[in-house]
Amino acid sequence: MVTVYSKPNCTQCNFTKRFLNDKDIPYQEKDITASDEALNEVRDLGFQSLPVVMADGLEPFNGFRPDKLKQLV
């Protein structure tokens, strides 16, 4: 399972979601502006910038990271 924490008008978030869509990798998106719970989850992970990607078998990471995203393919 892949979770992408994002917010509207976030370029790196959009690049990350586009990468996942292009590779047909299913993911759950959590908008931190629409959910205090999602915002708190990002803070609890220690991140201050978006996107934050969590995936089974990978350490959570932030930013648009094609090198990390390729590990999901």
Side-chain angles (χ1 to χ4, degrees):
M1 177 56 145
V2 178
T3 303
V4 178
Y5 294 90
S6 65
K7 66 180 180 180
N9 301 315
C10 168
T11 302
Q12 290 193 42
C13 301
N14 292 336
F15 283 149
T16 297
K17 292 183 286 186
R18 183 177 303 136
F19 181 97
L20 295 171
N21 287 330
D22 288 349
K23 303 294 186 192
D24 293 323
I25 299 170
Y27 63 93
Q28 172 187 17
E29 181 180 2
K30 292 189 177 184
D31 182 344
I32 66 159
T33 64
S35 167
D36 287 338
E37 180 181 345
L39 176 59
N40 289 330
E41 289 172 10
V42 168
R43 287 181 177 161
D44 289 346
L45 289 168
F47 294 105
Q48 296 181 0
S49 63
L50 296 173
V52 172
V53 178
M54 288 182 45
D56 294 338
L58 284 181
E59 286 289 320
F61 61 91
N62 68 318
F64 176 57
R65 297 282 311 271
D67 57 322
K68 298 273 189 180
L69 292 169
K70 286 178 184 175
Q71 295 178 28
L72 300 172
V73 177

